[in-house]
Amino acid sequence: MEYELAMSDREGISVGKQRERTSSCGNAVRRVASPSDSLTEMLAFVRTRDQPHVSRTHRVTNLNLLAKLIRETTPNDESEIEQIVYSVRWSLCSRIQEVRAGGLRVLRYLLSSELAYDVFCAYHMSILVVRCLDTSSQHETERVQALRLMRQVLHVAPNKFPRSFAASLVSLVTQYSRSHDALIWASAGTLCELAVLSPLLAAQCGVMKALLRTLLTCQVARMSEAIIHTLLFLVNDPGTRKFVHHDLDIEIVMSPITDLHYQHEAIDVDVRAGLEDKETQIEASKVALTAMLKCWAGLIYLSQSGVIRTVLEMLPLADPTVQKGLLEVFFDVFQIRLPEWTECFIQVLRSVEASRSPHDWTLGEGWVAEEGKYLLPPRITSRTNLVACYLSMLLFTLINCGLPKAFTELYERSYASLEQQRVAVRATVLIGELIHFSSSYIPVELSHIAHCVPDLIASATQFSNHARRSLASQVISCLDRIHQLKKHSAKPSSLFLDLIFKQAGYYKRTGHDISQFVSKDFEDTTLINVIKDTQVTQTKDHTKWKLDLVISLLQSPALQLSRLDETYGIKFIKRLTNFFKPSNYVFTAIPFSVQNMKTYSVIGCSLINFLTKSPEATQRYLVELIADIASQLGQVTAHKKTADVFTPNSITNTLCRDYFLFIGYVSYRKPTVLLTCNAYASLLAICDVPNRNDLLRLIVSSLDYSQDVYSRVVLSKILTSSDQQMRLYTTKHLRVLLRTKMRFFNNWGIRMLVTQLYDVNEEVAMEAIDILDEACEEESCLVALIIQRPALLHLAEKGVSLLTRFISTSRGFTLMKELGYLHDELDRWFSSYNHLYVQLVERHLAEAYTSYRIGQEGNFVRRSAPKTCRNVQVFVPIHFYGQLVQQQSGCDLLQQKGHINVFTNFIRRHITSSSDILHTKATVWALAHIASSPLGLDMLKESDIIKEIALMAANNPVFSIRGTCFYALCLVAKTKKGVEQLKDLGWFSVCHSHDHKWPVVTNKSNSSPSLQRAVRERSPLTHQASVPAVVLTTTDSPELTAARRKALLKKSTSSTMCAPGSLQHQKIVEDRVSQFMGDDSSRSHDPPPPTRARGGNLSPQQRPISMVSLSNR
């Protein structure tokens, strides 16, 4: 008993000694002792073995306090570390699970350096840790601590990671009998880290095979994505590529798709049902294939191994479940909205129609600001869209591997069953979207192989097979319907956004078809009869009115107040006005719904438009209506309490929100009426009412800012309100006004955005600078911003990027030179910022291609929103060198520094090298931005560095460097000089802007008329060409010597011509596809002489902004 009391007291002292400030235990106050005394006493207690008289709670508490002490003090002395490890190892041999878990936790905090890890290994502690992990799944606490300890070892000393740890993790993830074990996926994640940090050890321990087999049973998409990206990381570098066997490992992942008789191995009875579920394996293969098609390493690797061709060949032969999965992969990769799963063509077309929004933006969730950002394209026109460039390469790869043929065979086999018909319908939507995509992103010389329409027409004219002929005819009709739908712009679902489009003159929405109700020319008696038919003059019950006829009548040019008599016409207008007056509580009582909004609210807007166009003497009805609305708005602030009409409940559940829509139409058509009715004063007073963000959002989204009236005063007041969420929403609304090209936005809009840069909330400031970055694509906005001379450096990298844009203009260059900014900034870019630029670009691309997003702290976090079709665009960020070469004075400064010579010499030494990947990418990006302007391209002309970059795009053993060089050539193709130089090197370019839906470019050939006639005769699709041709890559095999490469490059300037679509041209295309993607089968042959496209002079308006190359067959 005395011993037990002594131990209890000792424990109490230990607990008290760990606290950094005095604390009370009961009523006694204990004194803090030194850390060294506490550590000695604790270790003495830890070394105590399991005894009946020692409490489990006391031992666990002591271990927790020891872990806390180590975390706070971090022992660095070797003898002290040995003492701790020696003492804690007794805890790992305890029979108590909590004691073992506490010992593992102490060791995890202790292993903060390689010195501590060496002591850990000297005592052979890894055996005890493995023993703790390899125990019953019921001991969850102990196993979790063991796994966390292994992860700590991996981060501290990845090259010294024990094989026993790796073997235990591999055994854990491959034990499918424990598939319900929560640690399986955590262990798989640890193996992914091991494969990245120590690939040799991972290969020796069979980690790759374990991850691949785990992938096929993983039902968590994020985990599957992490595993496949780990393998792609190894594939990217030639030094680690040998650890992944493309002829075996990739086949394991793709086997559920490519193997018609695939069946996973049957094991334990409890999990056999889950493992044999074919949809699970197909879903895992889908995730893997999608991830591989979204990165350069995966695309080139799949092309080399022939997996892409195999998958496309299996598409017509597979069962409908696999076919459906493969089509979903293509929809996801190309960012196309997934249509409904049905056999009805009309229903599918309705589901993917551009005018039908896939989202529902409510007043409290995004509202007009988010809908406008989704519908309106960015104003960025001078920067290359990297995602579009990559998708063009991917599309041509698929086309070259037989995508059109696969779809044609799919249609021929799809009339057998209902499921196959649904597959054919969904495939029709996909091929229609891809045909339209190819017309914008693939050069004209190569576009003829993208069409499967001739084969479909042949099937439609085969009268021997009625089912096949009928289906082919339906497919052709559907493709034509998709082509017609592409001509329609996206229509806003909100009447508020539609009003903004009208105010800015961006888009005029078509009204209802009134021809079936009202004729434009008819007599007064006929007009009276039409008014009678609306039932408005007959009854006050609005449910009995013919609403469509009312809308058509109000929108008809035949309806004029001068033609209306007192009995019917004036009564018609007066009754409608009384219906919408809020004081009558009729319109305000109608519940909110989309249908009611599109009828009653549209009638109100049409009535406002009608009254604003009426003579001044007859506008009393409009003044009465607006005065009544303004009176109700004044009640919101009159007695510091909410009015009856505009309560939060009414705004949410009734149509009274659309009174602000009426005010917006009046501010657009007749702003003087708002001044007469004192409506602006009521709106300004509402801005000061707290907790009424619903009213403020309606005000911001309705007023017309195209005229210099009080609307901008209201907007400015809300931008500087005390509510953070309202300031953020209003700032986002400025992006909508920018994209709709609101008049004089470069004046007042830029000034408001500059004010938001100094907002106390970081999110508001970052949103403002993001909008300014988009606005500065227009030179007038950039000049207006330079005049403002804002402070930007407090906004981190975005502020530096926006400040860098100043030097692209003469005014900004002079300003930055006077401030002494240029020389210091240029030196910083040369030393470090070029490397940070590479990380920035790849971070944005990773966010676009994965299911993760960049958090506020710069790290990747999971997307909380459900997975939908995301139209992601990654425009190349601003580069200091690219802005500097826009001015001749900037080019002189760059020449003076001598950076170009350093860059070119480095590239020549690393054409086929895999060392220093980051520095190679940084150098390529710097040279690409220099070559993106005519002045900069002239500076690089003597060095012929563009040829070297083109060779790196074809031959560099690091796949990601090939992708970077491809992007670099895209920047070179932004100018006419760049296109001509790439033409000499044998690269085809797209010579129109990507935002042109129907590009038509005149190609003036310099060849003789006879040659032109021969080209037309040999190219069956010449009459369909809409884009001038430029460029097909010329590549050498890696085995070629430097002399051979130099001779081949010299020869490229005098290559012969061949017609697009000819046999010679197709042979060259096929050979160079194999060479660019690294096909080993083509390396035994010398590359054919490069082709030169038919000459053509580009007009100044036909500025090329992207470049497309070829991929493996």
Side-chain angles (χ1 to χ4, degrees):
M1 179 65 66
E2 292 179 357
Y3 183 80
E4 291 183 14
L5 291 176
M7 292 298 298
S8 177
D9 181 67
R10 182 180 179 183
E11 180 187 3
I13 294 174
S14 300
V15 173
K17 291 177 182 178
Q18 287 302 308
R19 302 178 183 177
E20 296 185 359
R21 60 177 61 92
T22 58
S23 59
S24 60
C25 181
N27 295 325
V29 180
R30 297 177 180 174
R31 182 171 53 86
V32 178
S34 62
S36 58
D37 297 339
S38 299
L39 180 61
T40 303
E41 294 184 10
M42 279 190 239
L43 292 179
F45 185 80
V46 168
R47 286 193 294 268
T48 304
R49 300 185 181 182
D50 295 339
Q51 296 181 9
H53 56 270
V54 180
S55 172
R56 172 186 305 185
T57 305
H58 293 167
R59 299 195 62 182
V60 173
T61 303
N62 194 74
L63 287 169
N64 291 336
L65 293 175
L66 178 59
K68 181 179 179 181
L69 178 63
I70 293 175
R71 182 176 57 184
E72 294 174 352
T73 59
T74 312
N76 295 321
D77 184 66
E78 184 176 359
S79 60
E80 189 177 11
I81 295 174
E82 289 182 359
Q83 185 181 6
I84 296 175
V85 173
Y86 174 78
S87 302
V88 173
R89 68 174 183 172
W90 295 100
S91 301
L92 302 186
C93 299
S94 175
R95 296 188 300 269
I96 304 173
Q97 175 195 173
E98 291 79 6
V99 174
R100 297 194 300 270
L104 293 169
R105 186 165 177 263
V106 171
L107 291 175
R108 175 162 55 88
Y109 286 125
L110 181 64
L111 297 180
S112 58
S113 62
E114 287 198 29
L115 175 62
Y117 176 69
D118 293 337
V119 175
F120 175 87
C121 294
Y123 281 87
H124 305 287
M125 299 295 292
S126 59
I127 301 176
L128 298 178
V129 177
V130 171
R131 175 176 174 268
C132 294
L133 180 65
D134 190 18
T135 185
S136 174
S137 59
Q138 297 177 355
H139 298 172
E140 181 178 355
T141 305
E142 175 187 1
R143 299 174 72 232
V144 168
Q145 291 297 330
L147 182 59
R148 297 182 69 179
L149 175 59
M150 292 181 180
R151 292 173 63 89
Q152 178 66 17
V153 172
L154 183 59
H155 294 160
V156 172
N159 296 326
K160 300 179 181 180
F161 193 77
R163 290 196 176 189
S164 57
F165 284 4
S168 62
L169 292 174
V170 169
S171 176
L172 179 61
V173 299
T174 53
Q175 290 297 321
Y176 296 106
S177 58
R178 293 199 220 167
S179 60
H180 300 289
D181 190 351
L183 285 186
I184 283 186
W185 307 123
S187 302
T190 306
L191 290 179
C192 291
E193 292 182 274
L194 176 61
V196 171
L197 298 175
S198 183
L200 178 59
L201 176 62
Q204 293 173 347
C205 297
V207 171
M208 314 305 176
K209 183 177 180 180
L211 289 177
L212 288 170
R213 296 183 64 84
T214 305
L215 178 64
L216 292 178
T217 59
C218 182
Q219 300 182 5
V220 183
R222 295 189 305 271
M223 193 66 236
S224 301
E225 189 178 24
I227 294 175
I228 199 64
H229 278 290
T230 300
L231 299 176
L232 293 177
F233 174 82
L234 301 176
V235 166
N236 178 63
D237 195 324
T240 57
R241 194 175 303 155
K242 57 187 177 182
F243 299 136
V244 181
H245 305 285
H246 67 83
D247 56 344
L248 180 61
D249 295 340
I250 300 301
E251 288 185 1
I252 294 177
V253 179
M254 296 295 131
S255 55
I257 295 176
T258 58
D259 189 356
L260 294 177
H261 306 286
Y262 172 78
Q263 182 178 3
H264 203 84
E265 60 180 13
I267 52 174
D268 193 88
V269 178
D270 296 336
V271 296
R272 183 182 304 167
L275 293 176
E276 292 183 351
D277 187 5
K278 193 171 184 179
E279 294 184 0
T280 302
Q281 283 83 44
I282 293 176
E283 187 66 27
S285 295
K286 280 173 46 184
V287 173
L289 182 60
T290 302
M292 297 183 76
L293 290 178
K294 286 184 177 181
C295 70
W296 287 105
L299 177 60
I300 299 177
Y301 196 67
L302 291 177
S303 301
Q304 288 182 346
S305 59
V307 174
I308 294 181
R309 182 175 295 276
T310 302
V311 169
L312 293 177
E313 289 175 352
M314 290 300 301
L315 179 60
L317 305 176
D319 59 84
T321 304
V322 177
Q323 292 174 342
K324 179 183 177 182
L326 287 177
L327 293 180
E328 290 175 354
V329 169
F330 296 137
F331 275 101
D332 185 9
V333 170
F334 288 100
Q335 303 177 6
I336 303 173
R337 190 189 308 178
L338 190 66
E340 296 182 4
W341 182 245
T342 178
E343 70 279 2
C344 179
F345 278 101
I346 298 178
Q347 186 175 352
V348 167
L349 291 177
R350 288 176 180 174
S351 65
V352 298
E353 189 176 359
S355 60
R356 298 187 59 174
S357 174
H359 304 282
D360 183 18
W361 289 278
T362 61
L363 182 59
E365 299 178 0
W367 192 230
V368 174
E370 291 298 329
E371 183 181 4
K373 182 180 179 181
Y374 176 83
L375 292 179
L376 297 170
R379 291 286 299 276
I380 301 176
T381 57
S382 62
R383 286 188 281 166
T384 304
N385 185 1
L386 300 182
V387 173
C389 293
Y390 177 80
L391 292 181
S392 64
M393 168 66 77
L394 174 61
L395 176 59
F396 196 86
T397 303
L398 296 175
I399 291 173
N400 195 55
C401 291
L403 182 66
K405 181 180 179 181
F407 278 113
T408 303
E409 295 179 358
L410 178 65
Y411 294 138
E412 294 176 354
R413 300 170 182 267
S414 60
Y415 56 85
S417 64
L418 182 62
E419 289 295 314
Q420 291 179 341
Q421 293 179 12
R422 292 176 177 176
V423 171
V425 170
R426 180 168 287 187
T428 303
V429 176
L430 176 61
I431 200 65
E433 295 283 353
L434 294 183
I435 289 176
H436 178 73
F437 186 89
S438 65
S439 66
S440 300
Y441 293 95
I442 293 183
V444 65
E445 276 84 359
L446 313 175
S447 62
H448 64 280
I449 64 175
H451 295 282
C452 60
V453 178
D455 295 332
L456 291 175
I457 294 178
S459 299
T461 56
Q462 291 182 0
F463 295 93
S464 58
N465 193 326
H466 177 73
R468 178 181 299 179
R469 181 170 61 89
S470 176
L471 181 60
S473 301
Q474 293 181 22
V475 170
I476 295 174
S477 176
C478 186
L479 291 177
D480 179 69
R481 178 59 178 165
I482 294 175
H483 177 78
Q484 299 300 326
L485 290 177
K486 285 295 180 181
K487 299 179 181 180
H488 301 163
S489 301
K491 298 179 181 179
S493 59
S494 170
L495 295 179
F496 286 85
L497 185 58
D498 183 70
L499 172 61
I500 295 175
F501 283 6
K502 294 178 180 178
Q503 292 171 350
Y506 178 85
Y507 168 73
K508 294 183 178 180
R509 191 166 187 167
T510 57
H512 291 257
D513 185 11
I514 62 176
S515 59
Q516 56 179 328
F517 303 110
V518 182
S519 175
K520 292 184 179 181
D521 297 323
F522 45 77
E523 299 179 353
D524 293 348
T525 55
T526 308
L527 180 61
I528 294 175
N529 293 331
V530 173
I531 294 176
K532 289 180 180 180
D533 292 340
T534 62
Q535 301 299 317
V536 174
T537 58
Q538 309 299 324
T539 177
K540 293 184 178 180
D541 186 2
H542 61 86
T543 59
K544 297 181 180 180
W545 294 352
K546 295 182 178 180
L547 301 179
D548 290 338
L549 188 57
V550 173
I551 296 174
S552 302
L553 185 60
L554 289 173
Q555 295 178 351
S556 171
L559 185 64
Q560 301 177 6
L561 283 178
S562 59
R563 301 182 58 184
L564 300 179
D565 59 358
E566 184 68 27
T567 306
Y568 293 102
I570 301 300
K571 184 178 180 181
F572 174 75
I573 298 299
K574 186 182 296 184
R575 181 157 292 178
L576 285 178
T577 305
N578 292 332
F579 168 76
F580 285 105
K581 285 184 177 180
S583 58
N584 294 332
Y585 298 100
V586 181
F587 178 73
T588 58
I590 300 177
F592 174 79
S593 66
V594 176
Q595 183 62 32
N596 289 339
M597 179 189 66
K598 291 183 178 180
T599 51
Y600 294 104
S601 299
V602 170
I603 290 176
C605 296
S606 302
L607 178 64
I608 296 292
N609 288 334
F610 172 76
L611 294 176
T612 55
K613 296 177 183 178
S614 302
E616 295 290 339
T618 57
Q619 287 188 4
R620 62 182 185 275
Y621 304 106
L622 176 62
V623 174
E624 291 178 3
L625 176 60
I626 299 303
D628 197 358
I629 297 175
S631 175
Q632 294 294 329
L633 289 175
Q635 295 182 17
V636 176
T637 57
H639 305 290
K640 301 299 181 182
K641 64 180 182 180
T642 306
D644 295 336
V645 175
F646 296 105
T647 62
N649 185 56
S650 300
I651 292 293
T652 305
N653 301 321
T654 66
L655 290 179
C656 66
R657 64 170 67 180
D658 290 337
Y659 281 120
F660 294 91
L661 187 66
F662 302 160
I663 292 176
Y665 268 94
V666 176
S667 68
Y668 170 48
R669 299 291 186 184
K670 215 74 169 176
T672 56
V673 175
L674 296 180
L675 291 174
T676 303
C677 300
N678 205 24
Y680 282 118
S682 300
L683 296 178
L684 285 172
I686 292 177
C687 295
D688 298 327
V689 178
N691 301 324
R692 289 310 308 270
N693 289 351
D694 53 347
L695 296 180
L696 296 183
R697 290 193 177 197
L698 292 169
I699 293 173
V700 169
S701 305
S702 59
L703 294 179
D704 178 26
Y705 307 105
S706 61
Q707 307 178 46
D708 191 10
V709 291
Y710 290 95
S711 298
R712 297 178 188 172
V713 178
V714 177
L715 178 64
S716 179
K717 186 172 184 179
I718 298 178
L719 279 171
T720 56
S721 63
S722 59
D723 188 272
Q724 170 187 330
Q725 295 298 326
M726 201 58 234
R727 296 198 310 272
L728 179 60
Y729 174 82
T730 311
T731 305
K732 291 181 177 180
H733 187 75
L734 290 176
R735 187 193 299 271
V736 179
L737 301 180
L738 168 67
R739 293 187 177 183
T740 54
K741 301 181 181 179
M742 191 66 67
R743 287 193 301 173
F744 307 115
F745 184 87
N746 60 331
N747 184 11
W748 58 270
I750 297 298
R751 187 168 56 251
M752 291 182 178
L753 287 171
V754 169
T755 303
Q756 299 306 99
L757 294 177
Y758 311 112
D759 195 280
V760 294
N761 181 261
E762 182 181 1
E763 189 175 1
V764 176
M766 299 307 292
E767 183 70 23
I769 196 172
D770 190 52
I771 300 173
L772 280 173
D773 180 69
E774 182 177 338
C776 288
E777 290 292 319
E778 187 176 343
E779 187 175 359
S780 60
C781 294
L782 179 58
V783 173
L785 180 63
I786 295 174
I787 294 175
Q788 295 288 327
R789 299 185 69 172
L792 300 172
L793 295 180
H794 68 286
L795 297 172
E797 62 181 26
K798 287 189 176 182
V800 175
S801 175
L802 187 58
L803 189 62
T804 302
R805 304 192 70 144
F806 286 13
I807 63 177
S808 63
T809 63
S810 58
R811 182 192 293 264
F813 186 88
T814 303
L815 175 63
M816 293 294 102
K817 186 176 181 180
E818 293 175 355
L819 297 176
Y821 176 81
L822 294 178
H823 289 273
D824 295 339
E825 188 68 10
L826 187 57
D827 292 338
R828 281 192 290 266
W829 273 85
F830 182 74
S831 60
S832 60
Y833 283 6
N834 278 328
H835 298 83
L836 297 178
Y837 182 85
V838 175
Q839 298 174 0
L840 175 65
V841 172
E842 295 187 349
R843 188 164 65 244
H844 287 307
L845 290 174
E847 184 182 21
Y849 293 143
T850 64
S851 59
Y852 291 82
R853 62 178 178 84
I854 301 177
Q856 296 182 355
E857 298 180 356
N859 56 341
F860 284 92
V861 296
R862 300 172 184 171
R863 299 186 189 275
S864 57
K867 185 177 180 181
T868 56
C869 175
R870 299 185 301 121
N871 186 14
V872 182
Q873 296 176 321
V874 177
F875 296 97
V876 60
I878 299 299
H879 198 285
F880 188 83
Y881 290 164
Q883 301 300 306
L884 196 63
V885 295
Q886 301 298 323
Q887 303 290 329
Q888 182 61 48
S889 53
C891 295
D892 297 338
L893 176 61
L894 196 58
Q895 287 279 29
Q896 178 183 354
K897 288 289 185 178
H899 293 177
I900 295 180
N901 294 332
V902 177
F903 293 152
T904 54
N905 293 334
F906 179 83
I907 289 298
R908 290 191 179 96
R909 294 195 306 266
H910 292 77
I911 290 181
T912 59
S913 174
S914 61
S915 61
D916 205 352
I917 297 177
L918 180 62
H919 189 61
T920 303
K921 293 180 180 179
T923 305
V924 169
W925 276 118
L927 291 172
H929 281 280
I930 294 174
S932 62
S933 72
L935 295 176
L937 192 61
D938 291 339
M939 296 169 60
L940 301 177
K941 188 174 183 180
E942 295 181 358
S943 62
D944 286 341
I945 196 61
I946 305 300
K947 295 180 181 179
E948 310 293 344
I949 295 178
L951 285 175
M952 291 179 65
N955 298 327
N956 195 278
V958 181
F959 293 156
S960 60
I961 291 182
R962 290 195 191 184
T964 301
C965 294
F966 176 82
Y967 292 141
L969 296 180
C970 292
L971 297 184
V972 175
K974 288 176 60 177
T975 64
K976 181 180 179 180
K977 290 183 179 180
V979 169
E980 295 297 331
Q981 188 168 349
L982 290 175
K983 182 194 301 183
D984 295 336
L985 295 176
W987 287 80
F988 286 103
S989 298
V990 175
C991 299
H992 60 80
S993 178
H994 286 170
D995 56 357
H996 292 171
K997 289 187 176 181
W998 314 106
V1000 178
V1001 181
T1002 304
N1003 187 19
K1004 299 179 181 180
S1005 178
N1006 297 328
S1007 57
S1008 61
S1010 59
L1011 181 58
Q1012 295 181 29
R1013 187 164 50 253
V1015 168
R1016 288 194 298 268
E1017 293 174 356
R1018 298 181 64 180
S1019 180
L1021 296 178
T1022 300
H1023 65 282
Q1024 298 180 3
S1026 59
V1027 184
V1030 241
V1031 199
L1032 172 59
T1033 180
T1034 303
T1035 63
D1036 299 348
S1037 61
E1039 292 79 4
L1040 289 177
T1041 61
R1044 168 64 176 163
R1045 173 172 51 82
K1046 185 175 181 180
L1048 183 59
L1049 287 175
K1050 184 176 180 180
K1051 184 180 178 181
S1052 64
T1053 59
S1054 60
S1055 57
T1056 57
M1057 301 179 60
C1058 67
S1062 63
L1063 296 178
Q1064 181 185 358
H1065 180 269
Q1066 295 180 10
K1067 181 63 169 60
I1068 294 174
V1069 168
E1070 293 175 358
D1071 292 342
R1072 292 176 185 174
V1073 162
S1074 302
Q1075 292 176 11
F1076 179 77
M1077 304 306 292
D1079 191 357
D1080 295 334
S1081 61
S1082 64
R1083 294 185 176 179
S1084 59
H1085 307 282
D1086 290 335
T1091 99
R1092 177 171 306 191
R1094 297 182 314 190
N1097 298 324
L1098 303 179
S1099 63
Q1101 293 79 13
Q1102 299 167 355
R1103 181 180 48 163
I1105 68 168
S1106 69
M1107 181 273 306
V1108 178
S1109 179
L1110 303 182
S1111 55
N1112 188 36
R1113 294 184 57 191

